[in-house]
Amino acid sequence: GIFGVSATVINEVLYIGVPTQILKTSDGPVLTGNVVGIDQKDMILTDPLYANFASGVEKIDGDSLLAGETIGKGVFYEEGFQMIVSSVKAESFHGKVFICGECFKDSRARSLLGEKQNIEVVGKHIGERFGKSTVACDLTGDGFDDLLVGAPLGSISEHEFDTGKVFIYLLNKKKNQLEKGSPWTMEYGPKINGGRFGESLVCMG
């Protein structure tokens, strides 16, 4: 496996992404990803997650969800920090980003939370590496975070390659939805091919 590709701290627990791990199952080896939580005593708190956090599905087959490519946190609701977890291979390689309030509860407990704390967004094009980077940042000044997602291999037209995109999702609190705006890209020119805009993201505010 690849341990420690991403990490964040929420409520004094260190969460670590392991986006590539081979698990032994009764049907043979399965390539997947997971997220683990470690407390101050260096004890692993949770079973690994192979989760579609929004729907509460605990495990999936095959390698379609290598969760843990990025892990972050943001304040999307008054309850406090929510976890951000991405997988660049979810949804048949379109990529997906999850926001979940209680990622480490079992599926029944997560389902009881309702949809309020669980949101997901999906990439549109195969191979853009949607979710290679994520960051939460308050872009609208309402005191709650919005979501930015990098897709560094995305392109605007067939005349470009790997120029990169950054997708912006603004939180609509009334609808409990992240609404996608126009992606940020670099202005077209012969020197921007291979620029991989969106490879990494950070919020300065």
Side-chain angles (χ1 to χ4, degrees), residues 76-132:
F76 297 89
Y77 302 104
E78 295 179 355
E79 288 81 357
F81 284 119
Q82 284 79 35
M83 184 181 295
I84 304 167
V85 181
S86 80
S87 168
V88 297
K89 290 192 175 182
E91 293 291 324
S92 300
F93 294 89
H94 285 80
K96 182 181 285 188
V97 178
F98 308 91
I99 295 173
C100 46
E102 294 286 353
C103 300
F104 286 91
K105 290 184 179 293
D106 60 34
S107 58
R108 182 176 182 276
R110 285 204 303 271
S111 67
L112 294 176
L113 291 170
E115 297 181 355
K116 182 176 181 181
Q117 291 187 333
N118 299 309
I119 300 175
E120 63 182 51
V121 294
V122 182
K124 185 176 181 180
H125 300 291
I126 294 174
E128 288 188 325
R129 291 192 65 80
F130 179 89
K132 178 62 174 65

Side-chain angles (χ1 to χ4, degrees), residues 14-196:
L14 174 63
Y15 294 101
I16 300 174
V18 191
T20 302
Q21 183 180 33
I22 298 176
L23 300 178
K24 294 180 180 179
T25 71
S26 58
D27 298 323
V30 174
L31 179 64
T32 186
N34 70 55
V35 178
V36 296
I38 302 176
D39 66 7
Q40 291 180 331
K41 297 180 181 179
D42 294 330
M43 298 292 291
I44 295 180
L45 297 180
T46 64
D47 293 329
L49 291 182
Y50 327 105
N52 179 331
F53 301 116
S55 65
V57 176
E58 288 283 347
K59 297 182 181 181
I60 65 167
D61 296 325
D63 63 352
S64 58
L65 182 56
L66 304 188
E69 179 79 17
T70 65
I71 306 174
K73 62 183 178 182
V75 178
F76 297 89
Y77 302 104
E78 295 179 355
E79 288 81 357
F81 284 119
Q82 284 79 35
M83 184 181 295
I84 304 167
V85 181
S86 80
S87 168
V88 297
K89 290 192 175 182
E91 293 291 324
S92 300
F93 294 89
H94 285 80
K96 182 181 285 188
V97 178
F98 308 91
I99 295 173
C100 46
E102 294 286 353
C103 300
F104 286 91
K105 290 184 179 293
D106 60 34
S107 58
R108 182 176 182 276
R110 285 204 303 271
S111 67
L112 294 176
L113 291 170
E115 297 181 355
K116 182 176 181 181
Q117 291 187 333
N118 299 309
I119 300 175
E120 63 182 51
V121 294
V122 182
K124 185 176 181 180
H125 300 291
I126 294 174
E128 288 188 325
R129 291 192 65 80
F130 179 89
K132 178 62 174 65
S133 58
T134 58
V135 70
C137 197
D138 183 6
L139 301 178
T140 60
D142 63 358
F144 293 93
D145 285 321
D146 305 292
L147 178 67
L148 285 79
V149 179
L153 302 188
S155 300
I156 297 297
S157 75
E158 62 184 13
H159 304 292
E160 304 171 6
F161 63 89
D162 299 350
T163 56
K165 303 176 185 176
V166 174
F167 293 91
I168 305 99
Y169 296 88
L170 303 179
L171 182 65
N172 185 323
K173 291 183 63 180
K174 292 183 179 180
K175 296 181 179 180
N176 187 46
Q177 293 178 349
L178 285 168
E179 298 180 343
K180 184 168 68 173
S182 299
W184 295 342
T185 60
M186 293 187 292
E187 185 176 352
Y188 176 71
K191 294 184 179 181
I192 69 170
N193 285 327
R196 297 173 69 102

